[in-house]
């Protein structure tokens, strides 16, 4: 789904971000680049950090969480090889920025966030921007979201100590999952492709994410 955007004073900064942080570092997927040129990242960032929205680093979004650096977002999206008809599961909605990008690149997005306050704010921004093909769910993403499985793509925005088994079970044949795996201060992005019922794992770049916090006492609503 492509939301219609009005004139945006941040457009020049966004263009610069796409050129210097993404294209220049090897992001080549034109659909990903176009989506990142369109989605107003600053709308997902708290007022006091908004002037840094297009800079080359993560930013605080509340609840001790962060919105990821643009490059790592692009790299993860590129790895997922999304098609317009795909159904996607996102673990860790956070600000909702990646949710919006997924909504531009795929047909349907289910996104799980454990902090109800972040989920509520993300829902509000996504609705205001006109995204209707996303559902933000409060709950524990390590369990995935079985009611709508299987998914053509799964993206995990928080660091897991090991591959969460329920997510693997919810990945469709031919599906792709991108997940940072490793200890709290140094992870590596793992790309998993489900081929003939078996996960094929490719290691990608090192990264650093907030931890995936499992088994919260919330039921998925
Ligand atoms: N892509 C997001 C990044 C958010 S940071 C953005 O662009 O803003 C990762 C998010 O994962 C945080 O909001 C954190 O609360 C959430 N998270 C951590 N563990 C989780 C879990 N078990 N289930 C769901 N969300 C979780």
């Amino acid at each position: 789904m492509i939301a219609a955007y009005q004139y945006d004073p941040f457009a020049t900064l966004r263009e610069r971000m796409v050129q210097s942080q993404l294209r220049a570092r090897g992001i080549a997927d034109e659909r990903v680049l176009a989506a990142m040129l369109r989605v107003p990242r600053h709308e997902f960032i708290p007022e006091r950090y908004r002037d840094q929205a297009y800079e080359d680093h993560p930013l605080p979004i509340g609840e001790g969480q962060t919105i990821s650096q643009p490059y790592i977002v692009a790299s993860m999206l590129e790895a997922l090889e999304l098609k317009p008809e795909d159904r996607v599961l996102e673990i860790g909605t956070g600000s909702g920025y990646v949710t919006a990008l997924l909504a531009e690149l795929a047909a349907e997005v289910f996104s799980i966030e454990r902090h109800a306050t972040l989920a509520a704010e993300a829902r509000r921004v996504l609705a205001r921007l006109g995204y209707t093909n996303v559902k933000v769910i409060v709950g524990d993403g390590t369990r995935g979201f079985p009611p709508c499985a299987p998914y053509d793509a799964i993206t995990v925005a928080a660091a897991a100590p090991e591959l969460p088994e329920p997510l693997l079970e919810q990945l469709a044949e031919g599906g792709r999952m991108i997940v940072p795996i490793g200890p709290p201060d140094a992870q590596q992005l793992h790309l998993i492709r489900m081929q003939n019922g078996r996960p094929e794992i490719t290691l990608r770049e090192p990264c650093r994410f907030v931890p995936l916090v499992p088994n919260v006492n919330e039921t998925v609503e």
Side-chain angles (χ1 to χ4, degrees), residues 41 44 59 61-69 73 90-99 112-115 118 137-143 156-159 209-216 218:
R41 181 174 162 93
F44 296 88
L59 287 167
I61 54 170
E63 304 287 357
Q65 308 300 321
T66 53
I67 179 173
S68 306
Q69 174 198 20
V73 170
E90 177 185 37
I91 310 302
T93 316
S95 66
Y97 172 59
V98 175
T99 323
I112 308 190
E113 171 54 55
R114 65 183 289 264
H115 284 290
L118 293 179
I137 299 138
V138 176
D140 177 8
T142 58
R143 290 180 280 174
V156 184
F209 279 81
V210 296
L212 187 69
V213 184
N215 301 327
V216 283
E218 288 156 351

Side-chain angles (χ1 to χ4, degrees), residues 44-215:
F44 296 88
I45 288 176
E47 193 85 45
R48 58 189 288 223
Y49 300 112
R50 203 159 279 174
D51 59 336
Q52 300 176 51
Y54 296 96
E55 291 181 11
D56 192 17
H57 52 75
L59 287 167
I61 54 170
E63 304 287 357
Q65 308 300 321
T66 53
I67 179 173
S68 306
Q69 174 198 20
Y71 172 76
I72 202 80
V73 170
S75 175
M76 291 173 80
L77 289 172
E78 184 168 62
L80 288 175
E81 294 178 23
L82 294 169
K83 295 184 287 300
E85 62 273 19
D86 282 350
R87 170 181 288 197
V88 183
L89 176 67
E90 177 185 37
I91 310 302
T93 316
S95 66
Y97 172 59
V98 175
T99 323
L101 291 163
L102 292 169
E104 297 261 348
L105 294 165
E108 274 184 292
V109 185
F110 297 88
S111 184
I112 308 190
E113 171 54 55
R114 65 183 289 264
H115 284 290
T117 46
L118 293 179
E121 178 62 11
R123 276 189 198 121
R124 196 183 62 76
V125 179
L126 289 164
R128 183 159 51 75
L129 294 177
Y131 292 102
T132 53
N133 57 339
V134 299
K135 189 163 167 43
V136 176
I137 299 138
V138 176
D140 177 8
T142 58
R143 290 180 280 174
F145 190 56
C148 298
Y151 301 96
D152 304 298
I154 301 179
T155 177
V156 184
E162 55 193 37
L163 194 59
E165 200 59 40
L167 298 185
L168 210 52
E169 285 162 15
Q170 291 169 39
L171 193 58
E173 174 60 28
R176 293 84 53 206
M177 167 156 63
I178 188 91
V179 49
I181 297 182
D185 53 356
Q187 306 106 37
Q188 192 162 12
L189 282 177
H190 286 51
L191 175 66
I192 293 112
R193 189 181 290 270
M194 194 58 83
Q195 295 282 37
N196 305 316
R198 292 185 44 188
E200 282 177 6
I201 302 179
T202 314
L203 296 185
R204 296 172 67 98
E205 59 256 74
C207 55
R208 200 172 161 173
F209 279 81
V210 296
L212 187 69
V213 184
N215 301 327

Side-chain angles (χ1 to χ4, degrees), residues 20-42:
S20 65
Q21 298 175 39
L22 309 185
R23 269 190 207 281
R25 291 189 193 144
I27 303 294
D29 183 327
E30 291 299 333
R31 289 187 74 229
V32 169
L33 292 165
M36 292 191 68
L37 200 55
R38 288 176 57 77
V39 174
R41 181 174 162 93
H42 61 276

